Amino acid sequence: MKTIGDNAFDGTTSLTSVELPKTLTTIGSDAFQDSGVEELYIPASVSSMFRAFYGSNITSLELDEEIRVIPDGMFFGAGKLTSIRLPEKLRQIGERAFAYSGITSVTIPRTVTSMKNSLAYSNVESVVFEDGRVSIPAYALADARKLTTVTVPETLTTIETRGFYSCSSLKTIN
């Protein structure tokens, strides 16, 4: 299987478990909306996915360690998803990838060089940038309005344009 279409599992409230094949490349919009699935493993083969978990019961996601790009809007609207561990080889977090998600804290690997509005309008309160990072990308945390605490490494030399734009609750940068 290569594709799961839009709304494929929408409303399948009794469905609690799905194993995604390593051949899967696309997960359609709202594919798991209102489904009973709470945990899922996303294989590295998935390169296209927008709002797949909008309104879903997903609370825990495991991303394959080989994933280098999280596409735009990948976890948009996943309101019950409260935490996620990002792969160490990750290079890019797409625009609004976690917008309107339930994520409350996240550690950004030092390998991430691009992340524009990735946590906009999410529930994120705490972000840690991994040791070894030298810059925070432009618009990295723009519109993360519940963000209160950011931890940056001593190696940080640059906060790029609007890195914390409109983070109206930000109180502490360690």
Side-chain angles (χ1 to χ4, degrees):
M1 177 172 45
K2 291 186 176 193
T3 302
I4 294 175
D6 295 351
N7 300 93
F9 297 105
D10 188 349
T12 56
T13 56
S14 295
L15 180 67
T16 58
S17 178
V18 174
E19 187 174 328
L20 301 178
K22 293 185 179 189
T23 57
L24 187 67
T25 59
T26 303
I27 301 175
S29 293
D30 304 320
F32 291 93
Q33 181 175 1
D34 296 326
S35 77
V37 178
E38 294 179 356
E39 297 180 4
L40 198 60
Y41 167 78
I42 308 289
S45 57
V46 175
S47 59
S48 177
M49 184 166 112
F50 181 79
R51 281 182 36 149
F53 302 105
Y54 187 85
S56 74
N57 285 311
I58 294 285
T59 57
S60 176
L61 278 169
E62 181 182 347
L63 300 176
D64 188 284
E65 279 302 316
E66 295 302 314
I67 289 178
R68 288 187 170 60
V69 175
I70 292 177
D72 293 349
M74 188 170 190
F75 302 108
F76 185 102
K80 293 185 180 179
L81 179 64
T82 57
S83 66
I84 191 166
R85 191 185 66 71
L86 300 176
E88 288 299 316
K89 295 180 181 179
L90 189 65
R91 300 269 186 254
Q92 178 182 343
I93 302 173
E95 190 164 351
R96 299 188 190 270
F98 295 100
Y100 300 100
S101 74
I103 298 235
T104 56
S105 65
V106 66
T107 297
I108 308 296
R110 67 177 170 267
T111 54
V112 173
T113 57
S114 174
M115 55 180 291
K116 186 175 181 181
N117 295 76
S118 301
L119 293 156
Y121 309 106
S122 69
N123 287 322
V124 72
E125 296 172 359
S126 173
V127 173
V128 174
F129 286 95
E130 238 181 26
D131 287 339
R133 170 171 290 284
V134 294
S135 71
I136 293 176
Y139 294 90
L141 298 171
D143 294 315
R145 299 199 173 150
K146 293 184 180 182
L147 181 66
T148 60
T149 306
V150 175
T151 302
V152 297
E154 289 183 19
T155 54
L156 188 73
T157 60
T158 306
I159 297 173
E160 295 183 20
T161 305
R162 296 188 174 198
F164 297 104
Y165 177 75
S166 207
C167 291
S168 55
S169 298
L170 185 59
K171 294 177 184 175
T172 307
I173 297 178
N174 299 320

